[in-house]
């Protein structure tokens, strides 16, 4: 049945919204060192824009430091420039091929800002899920116009709403966990 395919597509796209939310959360600096803070920073390597994790080794030797071992010494300055301009507020310390990134403590005001930003990311994800729901409902209406029974239509619309409610609830849980993580650091 065609409606099954609509549900599969909806679930896949809503899962993508949650994956995107988690990816957005990885870029939030919450006072602890994590490779996910820097691994996707884009660096100009010989004229090609490359993620940092593809031109260096990234490690976390302690909770307040990230080290980046640059594979080619010629790229050290470009990597330093990319990190400095990334908006993370971290200033790299260069030691040959090694860059040390000291992660400063967050003050309470900055934590509140980050918690608010996490909430905004969550709202964007909810909007994405609702847009997917609307798209699915439009597809169901088309199927109804093409001959789907009224009873089947109601069953499928309820199913889509249940899926949407579940994903919205999951997003709220993820956002609350992240906010608690940010505020308790």
């Amino acid at each position: 049945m065609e409606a099954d395919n609509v549900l599969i597509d909806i679930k896949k796209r809503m899962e993508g919204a949650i994956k995107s939310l988690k990816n957005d959360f990885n870029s939030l600096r919450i006072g602890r060192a994590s490779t996910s803070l820097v691994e996707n920073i884009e660096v100009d390597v010989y004229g090609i824009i490359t993620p940092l994790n593809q031109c260096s080794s990234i490690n976390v030797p302690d909770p307040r430091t990230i080290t980046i071992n640059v594979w080619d010494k010629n790229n050290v300055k470009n990597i330093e420039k990319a990190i400095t301009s990334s908006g993370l507020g971290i200033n790299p310390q260069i030691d040959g091929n090694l860059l040390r990134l000291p992660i400063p403590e967050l003050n309470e005001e900055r934590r509140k800002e980050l918690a608010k930003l996490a909430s905004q990311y969550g709202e964007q994800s909810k909007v994405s899920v609702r847009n997917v729901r609307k798209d699915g409902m439009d597809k169901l209406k088309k199927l109804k116009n093409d001959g789907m029974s009224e009873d089947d239509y109601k069953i499928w619309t309820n199913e889509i709403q249940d899926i949407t409610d579940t994903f919205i609830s999951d997003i709220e849980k993820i956002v609350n966990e992240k906010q608690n993580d940010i505020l308790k650091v």
Side-chain angles (χ1 to χ4, degrees), residues 10 13-14 127-137:
I10 286 172
R13 289 173 57 198
M14 288 182 182
V127 167
S128 295
V129 166
R130 291 182 187 117
N131 286 338
V132 170
R133 176 191 166 277
K134 181 184 179 309
D135 189 40
M137 293 297 213

Side-chain angles (χ1 to χ4, degrees), residues 60-79:
V60 180
D62 63 68
R64 294 262 173 244
T65 309
I66 298 173
T67 58
I68 301 170
N69 189 3
V70 182
W71 297 333
D72 185 349
K73 189 173 178 100
N74 296 325
N75 295 322
V76 171
K77 285 293 182 194
N78 288 346
I79 290 174

Side-chain angles (χ1 to χ4, degrees), residues 13 36 49 70 104 118 165:
R13 289 173 57 198
S36 62
I49 302 299
V70 182
D165 292 344

Side-chain angles (χ1 to χ4, degrees), residues 26 39 49 86 120 127 153:
N26 284 339
E39 63 189 9
I49 302 299
S86 69
Q120 289 173 357
V127 167
Y153 176 74

Side-chain angles (χ1 to χ4, degrees), residues 20-21 30 58 60 67 81 90 113 155 164:
S20 176
L21 174 65
I30 59 171
I58 305 169
V60 180
T67 58
K81 182 179 174 185
I90 300 173
E113 288 174 16
I155 289 169
T164 303

Side-chain angles (χ1 to χ4, degrees), residues 33-48:
S34 170
T35 59
S36 62
L37 283 175
V38 295
E39 63 189 9
N40 291 317
I41 291 177
E42 294 182 335
V43 182
D44 182 0
V45 178
Y46 303 115
I48 299 171

